[in-house]
Amino acid sequence: MTGYVTGFIVLFVLSGMGNGSVFKMIPSIFEARSRPLDLGEAERRHWSRAMSGSLIGFCSAVGALGGVGINLALRESYLDSGTETSAYWLFLASYVVAAILTWMLYVRRRIPVAGVPESAPQAEPARV
């Protein structure tokens, strides 16, 4: 029982950290994306806040549906095989894919592409 409770506490802490990092990352990404826009400072900030607010609302709705999806996946896995193991493997695979996509889009260093002049605007990494 101790391992079970410890495992769930670790799961909740890590998922909370992931959730918080996503919602913290969204405004900084739109703020970085607003810099190249040909707008005044006030208009740029308004655009950034409006876009990040919209996406945060959408992510919240998808997160709420995720709770339903997890229950459906667990139920289907149990009905098909008598155990939830296949659903847990599917969850693990989706977390790995999400981590790789996040790293590719926001963390890794950009490599210069042949044929693209150095003066071309480069996307700046988002400040978190």
Side-chain angles (χ1 to χ4, degrees):
M1 184 69 170
T2 304
Y4 183 74
V5 171
T6 303
F8 267 99
I9 289 173
V10 169
L11 175 68
F12 292 145
V13 167
L14 292 177
S15 64
M17 288 170 55
N19 186 27
S21 66
V22 167
F23 284 99
K24 173 74 174 147
M25 190 172 31
I26 290 171
S28 62
I29 290 169
F30 277 107
E31 194 276 326
R33 296 266 173 136
S34 71
R35 288 184 200 143
L37 297 176
D38 190 25
L39 299 172
E41 184 67 22
E43 294 167 327
R44 188 178 65 78
R45 286 185 184 206
H46 175 72
W47 180 87
S48 174
R49 286 182 182 156
M51 292 294 128
S52 62
S54 299
L55 186 56
I56 286 173
F58 182 75
C59 286
S60 298
V62 170
L65 286 175
V68 173
I70 288 172
N71 287 329
L72 291 174
L74 287 170
R75 184 185 69 151
E76 280 300 314
S77 176
Y78 186 76
L79 290 174
D80 287 344
S81 63
T83 180
E84 295 89 5
T85 303
S86 59
Y88 291 129
W89 282 112
L90 178 67
F91 299 154
L92 179 63
S94 66
Y95 295 147
V96 168
V97 168
I100 290 170
L101 283 173
T102 301
W103 178 79
M104 287 176 59
L105 293 173
Y106 300 111
V107 178
R108 72 180 171 92
R109 293 204 177 265
R110 302 282 189 234
I111 299 171
V113 178
V116 177
E118 287 293 320
S119 62
Q122 298 289 325
E124 292 182 27
R127 290 182 291 158
V128 179

